[in-house]
Amino acid sequence: MPATAPPFAPQAPRYRHGGERTAERILDAAEALFAERGYTATTLRDVATRVGVRPPSLYNHFASKDAIWQAVMDWVAEHLSIPGVVVAEVD
């Protein structure tokens, strides 16, 4: 007999681990820099400097600049749903 789901979904913890906070800070910085300078003109060094970490530390959270871009675009698509707007993926 299959187990039944609890009558309520468990709530997310009220705190975030340091790595999750850092990833969020990376995305916030990247979003701002992409908006200010554009994707091509923004470097990983720029993102790291804005976050206050060394550039290699970004790779603890994201595989590449493209991965950061995609995460930013995914967040935008999820949170700023605008009818008729399609967010393209980076190949």
Side-chain angles (χ1 to χ4, degrees):
M1 177 173 232
T4 60
F8 58 89
Q11 290 192 337
R14 295 182 185 264
Y15 62 91
R16 286 203 154 82
H17 297 287
E20 290 174 3
R21 280 194 306 267
T22 301
E24 288 176 2
R25 289 176 39 227
I26 291 167
L27 293 176
D28 288 343
E31 179 183 10
L33 288 164
F34 292 149
E36 292 168 16
R37 302 176 185 177
Y39 176 84
T40 304
T42 300
T43 66
L44 289 177
R45 182 176 300 281
D46 296 332
V47 175
T49 298
R50 177 127 344 154
V51 174
V53 298
R54 294 172 18 97
S57 298
L58 298 177
Y59 294 105
N60 291 327
H61 305 279
F62 298 96
S64 65
K65 179 179 167 183
D66 288 344
I68 294 172
W69 170 261
Q70 191 61 55
V72 169
M73 292 298 100
D74 289 347
W75 186 92
V76 168
E78 183 180 330
H79 292 90
L80 302 177
S81 178
I82 302 170
V85 175
V86 176
V87 179
E89 288 190 23
V90 175
D91 290 327

